[in-house]
Amino acid sequence: MSDRTSMLAQPLQRPSVGRVAAYLGLFVLGTVVGLAGALVQGGWFPGGLLLALLGEAGLLLGGARATGSRAGAVAPAGGWMLAVIFLTTSRPEGDFVFAAGSGSYLFLLGGMAVAVICATLGQGRQPGGDAVRLGK
């Protein structure tokens, strides 16, 4: 048996400045992808919707892979969600980005499903080394 304690028993540590900057950059990229996806999905309906959702999935999985944690997928998902919620509100002049159609609802609900799937697929905190399983 190893003398290391469980990952859950270790105290939480404050993230480094570089990691915080990476999460903020991913958050901003998430807002940009949300804005671009909102415009593309309405412009070219079937292909634009797939392009917007694939772009979001690529950013979320790339962020999780680059940072090595699930927070790398959650940060751009938060930016995407903030941008999309901001765009769903109508202005006093009557302007809006999302029309009341199936494509808009598929983009909103599909984007949320992609965010949950990618955050789940991201790597969690895993112990390093050869003896990962208990009893080895």
Side-chain angles (χ1 to χ4, degrees):
M1 275 183 104
S2 68
D3 56 344
R4 296 185 325 172
T5 60
S6 170
M7 293 293 282
L8 296 174
Q10 295 177 2
L12 293 175
Q13 297 175 354
R14 192 174 293 172
S16 67
V17 175
R19 187 168 287 271
V20 171
Y23 291 148
L24 286 175
L26 287 169
F27 183 84
V28 170
L29 278 174
T31 58
V32 170
V33 167
L35 291 170
L39 297 175
V40 168
Q41 65 87 21
W44 307 308
F45 171 61
L49 177 64
L50 289 174
L51 181 66
L53 292 177
L54 285 174
E56 179 195 5
L59 174 65
L60 297 177
L61 288 176
R65 177 72 59 124
T67 59
S69 68
R70 289 188 178 128
V74 173
W80 183 89
M81 188 92 52
L82 183 70
V84 169
I85 287 174
F86 178 71
L87 291 175
T88 58
T89 60
S90 63
R91 296 182 39 181
E93 295 88 17
D95 298 336
F96 58 90
V97 174
F98 292 110
S102 62
S104 298
Y105 292 122
L106 284 173
F107 176 67
L108 294 172
L109 296 175
M112 287 187 266
V114 165
V116 169
I117 290 168
C118 291
T120 304
L121 290 176
Q123 297 174 342
R125 290 178 55 184
Q126 296 290 327
D130 294 331
V132 176
R133 296 178 69 192
L134 294 176
K136 278 193 164 190

